[in-house]
Amino acid sequence: SYVYKKNHDVTKTWRGKTERLLRVDNHDFTMRPAFGGPAIPVGVDVQVESLDSISEVDMDFTMTLYLRHYWKDERLSFPSTTNKSMTFDGRLVRKIWVPDVFFVHSKRSFIHDTTTDNIMLRVFPDGHVLYSMRITVTSMCNMDFSRFPLDSQTCSLELESYAYTDEDLMLYWKNGNESLKTDEKISLSRFLIQKFHTTSRLAFYSSTGWYNRLYINFTLRRHIFFFLLQTYFPATLMVILSWVSFWIDRRAVPARVSLGITTVLTMSTIITGVNASMPRVSYIKAVDIYLWVSFVFVFLSVLEYAAVNYLTTVQERKERKLRDKFSCTCGIPHSKTMMLDGNYSEFDANSLAGYTRNQMVSEEEKQEKMVVHLAVSNESNSSRKRGLKGHMGLRIIQNTHAIDKYSRLIFPGTYIFFNLIYWSVFS
């Protein structure tokens, strides 16, 4: 019938062994095509299906891709009136020669086999071959975390022939940069994929020689918003919280001490959490600079209160000595000294109880002595002020209120200045 003639199935036509359409058994496919002649060119193109994961701890990435090879093997040519190709699955691949391409620096890889091996072989009448397979590969990526998390990383997937040098097999990108295709839906939670591109060069091994190597390069830029919420913002809040102690009364020791210890411990927890998810590199990362400077600010706020508390104690001790030094008896025995405001203390009243009336001064005399006492006291106050003029510089330094006032300005100003420099350098 007409339908049978149009869609003639060659598998239904019996042929002898020497008349098979693909003469696979007539050739030794352990040898490359044109063995002993010039290098056989093998074109490569790749379609990236997904970029599955990027691991900073292991310094690797996982990619799923379609890897396709193009070459010509005249041993597979067959007669055809329609010039149409024939497509086969992975069973024919085990019987013919295929390029021995492998992934350099790969840790693990596999060809998908659900529901069958994801391998396709297409043979054209003139002997041209298309060999395609779906592969997931995990490969190394040497990352530089000196600017983490404000960094960009460039990773490469490298392809190379394992056995054939450039004298036997010439591996090249079939269509230049157009040989690399990517799915538009590729996205990562922590990275922005900026660019995919291809390169190629020769790789030399001292024992075996020169090999053609192909590179699939892609550039990733890290999303900063996650780290702003999880790291930078909490650290900044802890630093600001440590400044609250500057507005708390210096005599409220439990409040200021507990606030300082809480902020220090919280900063330590943040630093530990960030380093736990990162590889233990031997250099300083950008996030380390920010966190440790913030930790220093929090720690200095605790030291500031320690200085305030210490200077307060020293100042009160000196003031007690000054009061004892400049106190005036005004002609009254030391044991019977009155209060400076003219009133008797309870101790004075009790001590005067044993004196006779003659020994007791009259009310009028007492009033006179109080006037004299107040006058002398005023003179002593003025002389004490003159004596303390030379200590004004020292009293300003030791003034705890002044330290808290200056800290309210110096700490925020310095931290803002640090942030301006930090973000201008690393952003």
Side-chain angles (χ1 to χ4, degrees), residues 85-127:
S85 62
M86 292 190 299
T87 303
F88 305 91
D89 58 17
R91 286 171 287 187
L92 182 62
V93 174
R94 301 184 183 95
K95 299 179 180 181
I96 66 173
W97 181 91
V98 293
D100 60 337
V101 174
F102 78 106
F103 297 100
V104 185
H105 305 309
S106 67
K107 295 182 178 180
R108 51 194 172 272
S109 61
F110 63 91
I111 298 176
H112 290 259
D113 56 1
T114 306
T115 57
T116 59
D117 292 341
N118 295 173
I119 296 175
M120 185 268 290
L121 192 71
R122 183 171 295 167
V123 182
F124 294 86
D126 59 354

Side-chain angles (χ1 to χ4, degrees), residues 118-149:
N118 295 173
I119 296 175
M120 185 268 290
L121 192 71
R122 183 171 295 167
V123 182
F124 294 86
D126 59 354
H128 280 89
V129 181
L130 166 60
Y131 174 43
S132 176
M133 50 190 164
R134 183 168 174 254
I135 303 175
T136 294
V137 56
T138 300
S139 182
M140 290 176 51
C141 180
N142 294 323
M143 301 181 184
D144 182 13
F145 296 107
S146 58
R147 299 177 65 89
F148 175 86

Side-chain angles (χ1 to χ4, degrees), residues 159-178:
L159 296 86
E160 182 181 304
S161 172
Y162 191 84
Y164 297 101
T165 65
D166 61 338
E167 296 178 354
D168 293 319
L169 189 146
M170 183 180 68
L171 206 62
Y172 69 98
W173 290 111
K174 187 174 185 297
N175 298 314
N177 286 330
E178 299 297 325

Side-chain angles (χ1 to χ4, degrees), residues 170-189:
M170 183 180 68
L171 206 62
Y172 69 98
W173 290 111
K174 187 174 185 297
N175 298 314
N177 286 330
E178 299 297 325
S179 302
L180 180 61
K181 303 293 184 181
T182 58
D183 194 330
E184 295 180 356
K185 297 181 181 179
I186 294 179
S187 63
L188 295 170
S189 59

